[in-house]
Amino acid sequence: MSISFHENSKEFHLYNDEISYIIKILRNGQPGHVYYGRRLHDREDFGYLVEYARRDMAPYPYEGESKFTLEHLRQEYPTYGSGDTRYPAFELERADGSRVADFKYKSHNIFKGKKTLEGLPATYVETDDEADTLELVLEDEILQTQIILSYTIYEELPVLTKNVRFVCENTEGVTLLNCMSGCLDLPDRNYEMTELAGSWIRERHVHTRKLNYGIQSVYSMRGCSSHQFNPFIMLRRENTDEFSGEALGFSLVYSGDFLAQVEVDTYDVTRVVLGIHPNEFRWELKDGESFQTPEMVMVYSDKGSNGMSQVFHKLYRTRLARGKWRDKERPVLINNWEATYFDFDEEKILNIAGRAKELGIELFVLDDGWFGKRNTDNCSLGDWYPNLEKLPGGIKGLAQKIENMGMKFGLWFEPEMTNKDSDLFRAHPDWLLADIRRNYCHSRNQYVLDFSKQEVVDYIYAQMRKILKEAPVSYIKWDMNRAFSEVFSNGNDKVYQGKVRHKYILGVYSLYERLIQEFPDILFESCASGGARFDPGMLYYAPQAWTSDNTDAVDRIKIQYGTSFAYPLSSMGSHVSASPNHQARRSTSLDMRANVAYFGTFGYELDITKLPEEELKVMKRQIEFMKKHRALIQKGTFYRLQSPFESNSSAWMVVSEDGVEALMAYFRITQPANGKFERIYLKGLEPSAEYHVCEQFGAEMDYGDFCGDELMYAGVSVSDSSAGLAGVAWNQQGDNFSRLFYINKN
Ligand code: GLA
């Protein structure tokens, strides 16, 4: 890995064994983009890749010269005001209202390692040899402002990260109106764009469209990264599939409003930008102040979209997630939400916990309803002290009893919210993030607290800290259950309002950071009505996230499959819940529910005190199974084998880091009548090694020994007797059928 600077051609070449990224300082001093893709040999001058042409109507900055125009040059950080009339990557306003900018190369700095971003989550290195960084310093002398473009290339992964810092040295100040974290101008538009779109209980479904002229984008203006879109897009060639061809992943390490935009101009140049959504963003910088954008992560894969995902998984699991829990096997938990909702008391909780302990569950999580006088969702958020009617010994007493049973105790909080019926709101009505002089919307009867204000963050911190100090809490589920609707910070001026949305997220990050530093042993799980904040920013603080409020096994296949495009299995909270399922009203077998939930962090969320003895026996075995295999699942290499978005059946597998064992799950939604024979082609095995294949649970079939090449190229037959006369065979399962195979090297 290296970053070379060629003085004569003014080119920077960032490369490792797999990728190259080339920047050239253009004639006008702006950084131009030359190349991003598979590794190229280094050379002194790649200038031939920058093409110039005269095209009428284009603006030319040099008098008497009609070939050099920013309109048709690919750039690193395009600006308004130097001839480019496409969407710029940033906009700055001077005190007199001028938005014209012309930032020119001033200097650069190349160093080993990677800096942290103050107050913001970001990928990191453990030793400086893991990555090299280039900082390009640009300056606009008239604006008296600098832009520092940072690029980090990882040694072992085809990953390049970008971020931007603005430094104002203008006595009159400047105002940032838009500041994307990075831009990539690609030379053609022969790509398909994949995005993860959905809604509550239907998160991160995979959608793909062909790029076309104009703008295509995904975004959030909801204050969180959202159920609707995820801060991730993939561009891939039309012939790219899961395992071959070019796939370019773009991801933003941020949890608030974002924009991921692709603009294709009519000369087929594709411009990708990712960053904070400019909606309501207006950041005034005084002399001496700076602004740091979030980080944008780019992954290049020539091994298909699955190859791209595996790189994201590795990077986000090992160099974004942090702390004690990053590499630890995650505890099998039970959460009381779908078991009791608000209707519980200590006795009921202890009954569930006692039964859970017998089953081998390691962590009991007490969800919503333990604080203030909360028995419905219309009160008490913000009053983080225990309801002693429900829990006479408080959280301390309950947590201690659960610890005494030999289990760990976890607790739900929703720190960023309040209800009108709460002590917090009665004392501080102006702490709402809403224009309280007019009508403002509730959502689930709750209101957003103004986390842009330090005093609000401090108040919530003090309450949470008190509980965590006195009770043995090992896990926190941090929820966030509504979108922003009318953002206004009461008591603050106009300039402040332009900063509120971003400051809010910085407030959330700072509270996380304080708690993590003070309670480093706690495992955090983020949540936002299920998966509305399943983003890389959160993973820096909470190594796992509640993937969706939808716990139905069938729906979860699509949700978890889509989520796997950017996020590792170790980050996906996944539980076995009741059947019929509470969201989808669908009935599925206990095996099927577990076969989906294994591929994540695994737990239960149903009233186990009401289950028949046979089901409890099955659960006990499931828990043993998960404990035995969770290192493989949570740290292994994940392969999407067959998409649930494309057919009635789907499959995925995970291969252990050392390649010794693997698990493959196959799911079929509706039972075909006299259907086809079906095979699943495994991945990631050694062709010449011999493996033992054994079906788990239900069937418990021992299939014998096979070579890796047979399993990968000839495939594993998953046909059952539905291929023929519907009959009495054991594997004639009906709808919502799943199979799980354990593959072990001999
Ligand atoms: C959200 C979460 C759920 C549960 C409830 C409690 O919907 O996603 O898992 O915690 O809140 O109110």
Side-chain angles (χ1 to χ4, degrees):
M1 164 198 56
S2 176
I3 299 181
S4 54
F5 174 56
H6 299 291
E7 190 91 45
N8 291 335
S9 58
K10 294 210 175 56
E11 287 177 9
F12 297 91
H13 186 180
L14 296 81
Y15 58 88
N16 61 23
D17 288 347
E18 290 177 79
I19 57 168
S20 277
Y21 189 94
I22 303 169
I23 300 165
K24 184 182 187 69
I25 305 302
L26 301 172
R27 176 180 161 191
N28 71 341
Q30 283 182 227
H33 178 71
V34 179
Y35 176 81
Y36 173 51
R38 275 179 84 145
R39 162 78 194 270
L40 302 181
H41 284 97
D42 193 27
R43 62 185 281 157
E44 175 63 34
D45 192 346
F46 285 99
Y48 71 92
L49 289 171
V50 182
E51 291 164 288
Y52 304 91
R54 175 184 166 142
R55 285 167 174 160
D56 278 2
M57 287 287 283
Y60 298 94
Y62 296 106
E63 276 192 26
E65 215 267 46
S66 314
K67 281 204 165 166
F68 183 93
T69 171
L70 272 292
E71 175 83 341
H72 304 306
L73 282 170
R74 289 182 293 122
Q75 297 157 64
E76 281 302 312
Y77 204 55
T79 175
Y80 169 69
S82 49
D84 189 345
T85 53
R86 291 166 291 180
Y87 272 84
F90 72 99
E91 271 189 286
L92 264 177
E93 191 177 80
R94 241 164 69 150
D96 65 6
S98 169
R99 293 187 181 185
V100 177
D102 189 9
F103 281 84
K104 296 184 187 311
Y105 168 82
K106 186 176 182 218
S107 61
H108 70 267
N109 181 19
I110 295 172
F111 56 90
K112 294 201 105 15
K114 184 175 193 293
K115 291 183 183 168
T116 54
L117 302 188
E118 209 193 321
L120 282 167
T123 56
Y124 57 88
V125 290
E126 287 199 329
T127 61
D128 282 349
D129 327 324
E130 289 181 7
D132 282 344
T133 298
L134 163 69
E135 286 180 343
L136 272 184
V137 182
L138 315 179
E139 188 175 49
D140 183 320
E141 285 178 359
I142 294 178
L143 273 170
Q144 293 175 304
T145 300
Q146 290 191 354
I147 292 179
I148 297 134
L149 302 177
S150 291
Y151 302 81
T152 296
I153 184 161
Y154 275 82
E155 157 102 55
E156 300 284 346
L157 294 168
V159 170
L160 192 102
T161 68
K162 297 183 174 183
N163 71 77
V164 182
R165 195 151 57 87
F166 292 82
V167 182
C168 171
E169 289 163 356
N170 187 327
T171 49
E172 293 183 350
V174 292
T175 303
L176 261 174
L177 305 171
N178 176 21
C179 54
M180 292 292 113
S181 295
C183 172
L184 180 68
D185 280 353
L186 292 160
D188 67 74
R189 67 167 178 115
N190 301 324
Y191 293 99
E192 290 175 341
M193 166 173 154
T194 295
E195 71 228 21
L196 306 175
S199 68
W200 176 64
I201 63 174
R202 183 166 50 78
E203 295 93 335
R204 289 175 297 288
H205 280 207
V206 179
H207 294 272
T208 299
R209 54 176 131 171
K210 199 169 155 27
L211 285 190
N212 212 335
Y213 297 127
I215 300 284
Q216 32 258 293
S217 69
V218 292
Y219 70 97
S220 167
M221 298 194 292
R222 294 177 154 85
C224 56
S225 47
S226 88
H227 293 108
Q228 281 69 19
F229 296 114
N230 196 263
F232 162 84
I233 53 172
M234 173 178 76
L235 297 186
R236 66 171 189 202
R237 298 296 188 185
E238 277 167 60
N239 59 0
T240 295
D241 59 23
E242 282 287 349
F243 302 104
S244 68
E246 230 180 24
L248 279 55
F250 302 86
S251 166
L252 187 70
V253 186
Y254 192 57
S255 311
D257 295 348
F258 75 90
L259 175 66
Q261 176 174 293
V262 182
E263 176 178 6
V264 182
D265 74 14
T266 51
Y267 300 100
D268 285 14
V269 170
T270 296
R271 170 169 293 174
V272 183
V273 290
L274 259 79
I276 296 176
H277 201 294
N279 172 54
E280 292 195 1
F281 177 87
R282 210 185 143 84
W283 198 280
E284 198 179 281
L285 285 174
K286 294 209 178 74
D287 188 8
E289 288 182 348
S290 63
F291 182 84
Q292 175 64 58
T293 71
E295 175 173 84
M296 163 177 171
V297 176
M298 298 183 2
V299 169
Y300 177 85
S301 162
D302 58 1
K303 299 180 190 69
S305 35
N306 212 99
M308 176 211 64
S309 297
Q310 288 173 358
V311 175
F312 273 116
H313 295 173
K314 190 151 193 201
L315 181 74
Y316 285 175
R317 182 172 67 76
T318 65
R319 292 295 179 268
L320 178 62
R322 295 178 293 166
K324 173 177 156 183
W325 285 99
R326 184 188 77 178
D327 301 326
K328 280 191 83 155
E329 294 171 20
R330 305 297 162 71
V332 175
L333 64 80
I334 184 152
N335 177 305
N336 73 307
W337 180 242
E338 287 194 22
T340 66
Y341 296 100
F342 294 111
D343 180 18
F344 62 83
D345 55 19
E346 190 179 88
E347 194 189 339
K348 212 174 194 178
I349 293 299
L350 290 175
N351 276 340
I352 297 175
R355 185 55 65 88
K357 173 67 192 163
E358 284 161 22
L359 297 177
I361 292 174
E362 298 157 306
L363 168 70
F364 179 88
V365 178
L366 184 62
D367 211 279
D368 194 356
W370 58 266
F371 50 92
K373 53 186 179 65
R374 185 143 165 117
N375 288 313
T376 64
D377 65 13
N378 63 7
C379 69
S380 300
L381 290 171
D383 297 346
W384 301 107
Y385 35 84
N387 179 335
L388 297 178
E389 270 170 40
K390 282 176 161 176
L391 308 171
I395 290 300
K396 187 179 171 192
L398 177 65
Q400 199 53 62
K401 284 183 184 155
I402 285 177
E403 280 264 328
N404 294 346
M405 288 176 171
M407 263 196 301
K408 295 289 173 198
F409 178 78
L411 194 58
W412 181 96
F413 284 97
E414 195 175 356
E416 302 152 67
M417 299 291 157
T418 193
N419 300 104
K420 282 196 176 162
D421 183 2
S422 70
D423 294 343
L424 182 149
F425 179 78
R426 280 183 284 273
H428 305 285
D430 59 329
W431 279 7
L432 294 199
L433 190 67
D435 187 341
I436 56 174
R437 297 161 301 187
R438 53 199 304 151
N439 185 48
Y440 45 87
C441 301
H442 76 94
S443 176
R444 209 192 185 209
N445 300 307
Q446 67 190 55
Y447 302 89
V448 184
L449 284 172
D450 186 351
F451 258 49
S452 78
K453 293 180 176 166
Q454 189 63 44
E455 52 182 337
V456 178
V457 176
D458 289 347
Y459 180 90
I460 298 296
Y461 164 74
Q463 291 198 61
M464 291 177 79
R465 178 176 190 273
K466 183 166 186 292
I467 291 187
L468 303 179
K469 276 277 176 205
E470 67 186 26
V473 176
S474 305
Y475 159 109
I476 288 178
K477 177 175 171 188
W478 180 317
D479 212 337
M480 192 278 190
N481 280 318
R482 67 158 291 182
F484 295 1
S485 44
E486 44 287 291
V487 173
F488 185 75
S489 182
N490 296 283
N492 279 310
D493 65 8
K494 185 177 166 193
V495 170
Y496 190 93
Q497 304 307 328
K499 300 184 173 182
V500 173
R501 285 172 174 264
H502 181 57
K503 269 176 162 287
Y504 176 98
I505 288 295
L506 295 180
V508 171
Y509 289 154
S510 72
L511 181 56
Y512 257 115
E513 193 64 37
R514 265 156 105 177
L515 294 170
I516 286 170
Q517 295 306 335
E518 196 166 349
F519 304 100
D521 293 340
I522 292 181
L523 169 62
F524 283 83
E525 176 158 334
S526 74
C527 174
S529 277
R533 213 148 66 174
F534 206 119
D535 58 62
M538 279 292 121
L539 290 184
Y540 185 69
Y541 304 95
Q544 59 190 61
W546 184 223
T547 316
S548 175
D549 273 351
N550 191 337
T551 54
D552 171 62
V554 172
D555 288 344
R556 270 294 185 120
I557 298 169
K558 284 187 174 163
I559 294 170
Q560 292 175 205
Y561 187 95
T563 304
S564 80
F565 270 71
Y567 306 101
L569 295 188
S570 58
S571 66
M572 292 187 215
S574 46
H575 300 169
V576 171
S577 61
S579 178
N581 173 270
H582 291 192
Q583 295 79 37
R585 307 307 305 166
R586 186 181 283 117
S587 297
T588 51
S589 69
L590 192 48
D591 284 338
M592 168 90 171
R593 281 174 274 157
N595 286 349
V596 178
Y598 291 138
F599 292 83
T601 59
F602 200 69
Y604 290 86
E605 189 164 335
L606 72 173
D607 190 351
I608 52 172
T609 61
K610 300 213 175 89
L611 295 181
E613 210 43 52
E614 319 84 76
E615 290 209 0
L616 293 174
K617 263 196 216 146
V618 174
M619 284 168 65
K620 205 167 177 175
R621 287 182 50 213
Q622 291 176 341
I623 292 158
E624 277 163 21
F625 176 84
M626 186 61 188
K627 286 180 181 169
K628 194 163 153 213
H629 296 297
R630 64 186 155 187
L632 152 67
I633 293 169
Q634 290 164 2
K635 294 186 192 169
T637 307
F638 184 67
Y639 294 85
R640 293 182 295 268
L641 301 179
Q642 199 163 299
S643 170
F645 296 98
E646 282 161 20
S647 74
N648 183 36
S649 56
S650 58
W652 57 42
M653 76 182 284
V654 60
V655 181
S656 65
E657 276 181 308
D658 59 10
V660 167
E661 47 175 3
L663 269 178
M664 187 272 277
Y666 163 81
F667 307 105
R668 190 185 63 204
I669 308 311
T670 55
Q671 154 92 51
N674 191 12
K676 62 185 178 184
F677 297 123
E678 196 166 5
R679 283 186 201 186
I680 300 296
Y681 300 91
L682 304 194
K683 290 281 173 187
L685 306 178
E686 262 176 61
S688 53
E690 196 185 66
Y691 297 86
H692 189 76
V693 178
C694 186
E695 186 161 0
Q696 306 296 300
F697 301 116
E700 236 80 39
M701 286 273 286
D702 194 334
Y703 288 93
D705 297 325
F706 305 90
C707 275
D709 53 10
E710 294 169 75
L711 298 170
M712 293 194 291
Y713 314 143
V716 171
S717 169
V718 289
S719 314
D720 65 19
S721 59
S722 67
L725 177 68
V728 290
W730 61 265
N731 51 1
Q732 180 75 43
Q733 295 291 334
D735 293 349
N736 307 326
F737 171 50
S738 71
R739 298 174 78 169
L740 185 67
F741 298 83
Y742 178 64
I743 300 119
N744 194 18
K745 207 175 190 177
N746 285 332

